[in-house]
Amino acid sequence: MGFSMRDRVELLKLSQAGEDALAASCITDWLSPGFFETEFWFMWSTTFAFQPWHSAVEFKRYLHRFMLEFSRIETLAGVKRTSTTSMIPWFGPCRPGLKPKGTFGCRLQGDRPRS
């Protein structure tokens, strides 16, 4: 994952720090610039939408919650995918009210093509 020994020590310190100690700090306050060039950071920030200036508290919470994914993050094997788009649960219930108004121009799974 591209960690140096310094990265490992800093990551461990951050993950063991209390939330009071992390309170108003950002991730860059705890990790050196080299960490943000590792493969781990690339995969982690892409997967969870983190930026270096984001909250250190939130970063720590995600580290603890998804620690089991560390060994699989390079392949994203632990990412759960659904057979349908994630938008169907949001827009599906709106469809009956929007279709008569002509404002629903896309098809959802199960819709028949227009003739």
Side-chain angles (χ1 to χ4, degrees):
M1 287 194 256
F3 292 132
S4 68
M5 188 53 72
R6 179 180 181 175
D7 295 334
R8 293 169 199 241
V9 169
E10 290 174 346
L11 196 58
L12 186 61
K13 284 181 182 177
L14 187 150
S15 70
Q16 297 302 311
E19 290 201 6
D20 290 341
L22 298 171
S25 61
C26 60
I27 302 168
T28 54
D29 295 335
W30 290 82
L31 301 168
S32 56
F35 176 83
F36 300 102
E37 297 173 14
T38 62
E39 289 180 36
F40 173 81
W41 175 254
F42 177 72
M43 295 302 291
W44 192 265
S45 63
T46 303
T47 303
F48 298 113
F50 274 106
Q51 295 293 328
W53 57 84
H54 284 173
S55 164
V57 172
E58 287 302 312
F59 184 71
K60 176 194 169 176
R61 290 175 183 167
Y62 272 73
L63 284 176
H64 284 256
R65 181 171 178 172
F66 295 103
M67 198 166 289
L68 295 175
E69 299 302 326
F70 278 26
S71 62
R72 311 185 287 185
I73 197 163
E74 291 176 352
T75 62
L76 298 177
V79 175
K80 306 288 186 245
R81 293 182 175 86
T82 62
S83 59
T84 61
T85 177
S86 60
M87 291 294 145
I88 288 177
W90 290 98
F91 294 111
C94 299
R95 193 170 86 201
L98 295 174
K99 242 182 177 179
K101 296 177 183 171
T103 55
F104 205 82
C106 62
R107 291 184 337 162
L108 294 177
Q109 184 176 352
D111 278 356
R112 286 178 278 184
R114 297 180 187 177
S115 307

